[in-house]
Amino acid sequence: MITSKLNSRLGFPIALLTLFLVSVAGARDLNEYSNKANSLIQSRQWGELEKLMRQGIRDFPDKEWMHSTLNYALREQKKHKEAVEQGREMRRNWPDTEKSANTLSRALTSAASAAYYDGNFAGCLELAEEARQLDQSESSYVWSGNALRKLERFQESARVQEEGLTKYPTNPWLKPNLAATYAAWGKEAEDAQDYDPAIERYIRAHELDPDQSYVLFRLGRAYRAAGKFEEAIKTFKKGRDTFPDAQEFTRAIGYTQLLRFRSVKETASKKELENLAELALQDALKEKDFQSAEYLVTLIGEAYTQTRNADDLRKAMKSMERVFSDPVPLWDSYGRQLYILHRRQGPVPAAAKEESLSYRRKAMSEYERKHPGRPLITNLPLPLKNRFVVWAEFDGDYMTHTGFAKYCYDFARVDASGQPLRPGGKRLQAADYWMFGEPVYSMTEGKVVSVVTDQPDNNGGEYGSQGNSVTVETEDGYYAFYTHFKKDSISVKEGQNVRAGTKLGLAGNSGMSTEPHLHVCLYDSEWVSLPFRFTPIRIKSPEGSKLTSDPLRQGWIVEAGG
């Protein structure tokens, strides 16, 4: 009866009044929410902060800072999608405030960052651009520029990041990211052989981030490809001095000097060429090993070959021999170059040939002593399918079959009587040989890693330099090398996988060859030849006919397929 009267006087049931009083007594005021939120932020309890702010928003739905703090908690928990949705709702409720714009922008750029690292560059760009339209924040420029770069929209990326860098010159990410954009944009131009814009972009990348060695290396490479050898050498030397642990700069200097020499060797005077050789020698003597000075050694050899100066070639070799920690590869290189120097002038004098062979053999003997247990490759199929003669055996009296090329053969097709010339053919006329145009087949499975096919075929005793060739890398990490192919006859391409028996091309007379033949070797990763054996084959020799898998000897005739 009393309760009924009280309900009537207050206008609502006493039970509801009791619930209201309990609720008011348990509610936090704004200061309590603020203090508790700060405490949770300090202790990085993001899940608890989210719960607190959701409760606070129910109690005080018009407090913008609570919505912003909730978004912060969601972002820290990497709830990116939820944070973006909540940020957009907040923006709808407060469409004109800076806080709502900044909150949504942060949610968008956090989501953009996650999309970027997930490889979703288009999604990253969409989110970052929405953020950039809101408040042009630092992060929006960072992620828009990065996404555009990954999408290979380099010009747009550079424009966005340049604008961002102007607005935020102290941002720690914009400069290196913009440098990466210019570097990638430069490489695009370099790959298209558009070297002037490539150089400009690499220069800008280096200005922005001088600590990146790869940018300086690419700049030197672009200068070199454009034929600006002096600028390239200067750039590579700067890289060598700035990044002393980056060995690629030292080799690049030597290679660039070699290319500069080759660009002028047919037009420069003897004195100019030998001056270049002397400069190369001075640089080579600053190095401690052959590998670092390899291109310089090649330049010295080619220069003195061009000027026919065997004495100064020998003196240069002796100087480097005293400096290099391991002279073995120098001996091999010198022996080869000395032979070529004399061969370009005609028949090689006996003394020069002996000196050449002795240096190359000394090099290989020492190399094999230092590397015992090198593999023997067995059971290979023949690279030719018709009868052929062995013109050069392993470690024979030919310069190209000694030293590091010790385990190489020369083969030439012959007729039933053992003759290499077709009926009525003339010696030193390439097309008159049975071997000219003979199909050559791969001895191994593997991937074609190098092809040269544009060198002319020699006639009349001419003697070239580089021959048309194919190199196949096997799964076991060694290389099968075939050379002297007929010009434009190679039928495989770089990157192509081949099987044993795949046709590679047609035999010819290119390179260091006066008569058509096939030069074939197997090499290890250091480009030192490896011994190998064929499957048992029938051979004819002065001693008779036999089936053998022994190393082939000079003068033997191989009945291919026999």
Side-chain angles (χ1 to χ4, degrees):
M1 185 71 172
I2 296 173
T3 302
S4 176
K5 290 180 178 179
L6 183 60
N7 285 345
S8 176
R9 289 176 184 175
L10 294 176
F12 50 82
I14 189 66
L16 290 178
L17 174 61
T18 303
L19 181 61
F20 172 76
L21 293 172
V22 170
S23 175
V24 170
R28 293 185 174 92
D29 63 23
L30 285 174
N31 284 335
E32 288 178 311
Y33 273 116
S34 178
N35 292 335
K36 181 63 174 176
N38 285 331
S39 175
L40 292 173
I41 290 171
Q42 291 296 320
S43 59
R44 303 182 66 81
Q45 297 182 58
W46 308 116
E48 292 301 313
L49 179 63
E50 178 188 349
K51 293 177 184 177
L52 178 69
M53 289 298 97
R54 290 192 185 281
Q55 178 61 49
I57 289 169
R58 285 193 290 270
D59 292 342
F60 302 97
D62 60 342
K63 297 304 178 184
E64 187 182 13
W65 71 266
M66 287 189 172
H67 293 264
S68 179
T69 306
L70 171 60
N71 197 274
Y72 182 27
L74 293 171
R75 297 197 308 269
E76 289 297 325
Q77 295 176 85
K78 302 188 186 307
K79 296 180 178 180
H80 300 298
K81 184 177 180 180
E82 193 173 346
V84 169
E85 291 174 353
Q86 189 267 344
R88 285 174 175 155
E89 181 182 359
M90 179 182 171
R91 184 64 175 164
R92 286 192 292 271
N93 292 332
W94 288 276
D96 300 319
T97 66
E98 183 178 351
K99 182 180 289 293
S100 69
N102 291 344
T103 298
L104 176 55
S105 177
R106 290 189 178 96
L108 289 165
T109 54
S110 293
S113 170
Y116 180 89
Y117 288 114
D118 285 342
N120 180 9
F121 305 123
C124 172
L125 178 61
E126 183 179 353
L127 292 162
E129 279 298 291
E130 183 181 346
R132 199 159 69 91
Q133 297 305 314
L134 276 170
D135 66 352
Q136 296 187 329
S137 67
E138 297 180 51
S139 293
S140 68
Y141 281 105
V142 169
W143 294 114
S144 286
N146 284 350
L148 286 165
R149 181 178 68 250
K150 287 293 187 178
L151 293 168
E152 299 184 357
R153 293 161 61 178
F154 300 121
Q155 187 171 7
E156 295 172 76
S157 177
R159 177 182 56 77
V160 167
Q161 290 174 311
E162 288 280 15
E163 181 181 315
L165 187 59
T166 300
K167 288 179 178 292
Y168 304 105
T170 61
N171 180 279
W173 300 111
L174 283 168
K175 264 192 177 182
N177 288 343
L178 180 55
T181 295
Y182 275 110
W185 195 12
K187 188 172 187 303
E188 180 185 62
E190 184 185 358
D191 289 345
Q193 300 182 2
D194 197 1
Y195 299 117
D196 286 342
I199 289 168
E200 291 176 7
R201 293 163 193 170
Y202 287 144
I203 288 173
R204 178 62 174 145
H206 180 62
E207 290 171 348
L208 289 161
D209 193 356
D211 293 332
Q212 299 301 321
S213 62
Y214 82 94
V215 174
L216 205 55
F217 186 82
R218 287 185 186 176
L219 174 59
R221 190 175 62 190
Y223 274 132
R224 185 174 66 201
K228 299 178 180 181
F229 297 116
E230 300 304 326
E231 293 92 333
I233 291 169
K234 181 179 178 181
T235 301
F236 287 135
K237 285 185 175 180
K238 179 181 178 181
R240 178 194 62 190
D241 297 340
T242 306
F243 307 101
D245 294 331
Q247 294 300 311
E248 64 267 23
F249 287 105
T250 296
R251 288 181 61 81
I253 293 167
Y255 184 55
T256 306
Q257 287 179 281
L258 175 60
L259 293 182
R260 178 182 62 181
F261 163 79
R262 287 176 174 172
S263 72
V264 301
K265 74 175 184 178
E266 300 298 337
T267 57
S269 67
K270 177 179 179 180
K271 183 177 180 180
E272 289 171 331
L273 294 178
E274 294 193 347
N275 282 342
L276 290 175
E278 183 58 35
L279 290 172
L281 177 60
Q282 292 173 14
D283 283 344
L285 293 175
K286 296 174 185 176
E287 305 300 334
K288 298 302 181 185
D289 58 75
F290 176 86
Q291 286 71 27
S292 299
E294 183 175 4
Y295 292 118
L296 297 169
V297 174
T298 301
L299 188 162
I300 294 164
E302 290 188 9
Y304 288 127
T305 296
Q306 187 74 10
T307 62
R308 303 184 177 187
N309 190 340
D311 290 339
D312 280 354
L313 174 61
R314 187 177 296 107
K315 290 176 184 176
M317 188 277 296
K318 291 292 185 182
S319 297
M320 292 183 286
E321 185 181 35
R322 289 190 290 268
V323 171
F324 291 168
S325 58
D326 179 9
V328 169
L330 177 66
W331 295 339
D332 187 72
S333 174
Y334 170 70
R336 179 179 181 276
Q337 197 63 51
L338 179 67
Y339 186 94
I340 293 172
L341 184 153
H342 287 285
R343 182 64 183 83
R344 293 280 167 79
Q345 302 173 52
V348 179
K353 181 177 181 180
E354 178 57 32
E355 183 181 3
S356 170
L357 295 177
S358 67
Y359 267 99
R360 297 208 77 187
R361 284 176 173 148
K362 179 170 71 168
M364 188 59 160
S365 176
E366 185 65 11
Y367 184 89
E368 291 191 308
R369 185 187 69 80
K370 291 181 177 180
H371 299 83
R374 301 178 74 227
L376 169 66
I377 315 301
T378 59
N379 294 316
L380 295 177
L382 292 169
L384 300 173
K385 292 188 176 180
N386 287 309
R387 181 187 300 108
F388 63 85
V389 64
V390 180
W391 269 357
E393 64 188 41
F394 289 168
D395 202 24
D397 288 335
Y398 292 96
M399 181 276 299
T400 52
H401 297 264
T402 59
F404 288 177
K406 174 180 178 179
Y407 301 110
C408 297
Y409 286 123
D410 279 354
F411 298 147
R413 182 183 169 185
V414 292
D415 61 19
S417 64
Q419 292 301 311
L421 287 168
R422 300 176 186 274
K426 294 182 179 180
R427 191 169 176 271
L428 303 183
Q429 296 301 310
D432 288 349
Y433 286 76
W434 290 109
M435 189 63 179
F436 193 72
E438 183 72 8
V440 176
Y441 302 91
S442 179
M443 302 183 299
T444 68
E445 291 187 1
K447 178 181 287 188
V448 177
V449 294
S450 177
V451 170
V452 177
T453 190
D454 61 352
Q455 298 300 299
D457 291 287
N458 302 316
N459 271 302
E462 295 171 342
Y463 196 70
S465 53
Q466 184 180 30
N468 298 314
S469 62
V470 174
T471 305
V472 176
E473 182 180 8
T474 72
E475 289 185 355
D476 295 323
Y478 60 85
Y479 298 84
F481 176 70
Y482 313 79
T483 192
H484 305 310
F485 285 91
K486 183 180 178 182
K487 181 181 179 182
D488 296 328
S489 76
I490 292 174
S491 51
V492 294
K493 300 183 182 299
E494 290 183 11
Q496 179 179 336
N497 291 316
V498 297
R499 302 170 62 182
T502 298
K503 181 181 173 182
L504 302 177
L506 305 178
N509 198 36
S510 58
M512 292 191 295
S513 174
T514 56
E515 298 178 272
H517 69 283
L518 172 67
H519 179 94
V520 60
C521 316
L522 296 184
Y523 286 99
D524 63 18
S525 60
E526 299 297 320
W527 212 243
V528 180
S529 61
L530 290 166
F532 61 95
R533 305 283 188 271
F534 295 111
T535 55
I537 51 178
R538 184 159 299 280
I539 64 95
K540 289 174 60 178
S541 71
E543 290 75 32
S545 174
K546 65 177 180 179
L547 196 66
T548 184
S549 59
D550 291 340
L552 303 179
R553 302 299 301 274
Q554 187 170 319
W556 283 4
I557 293 177
V558 177
E559 297 290 345

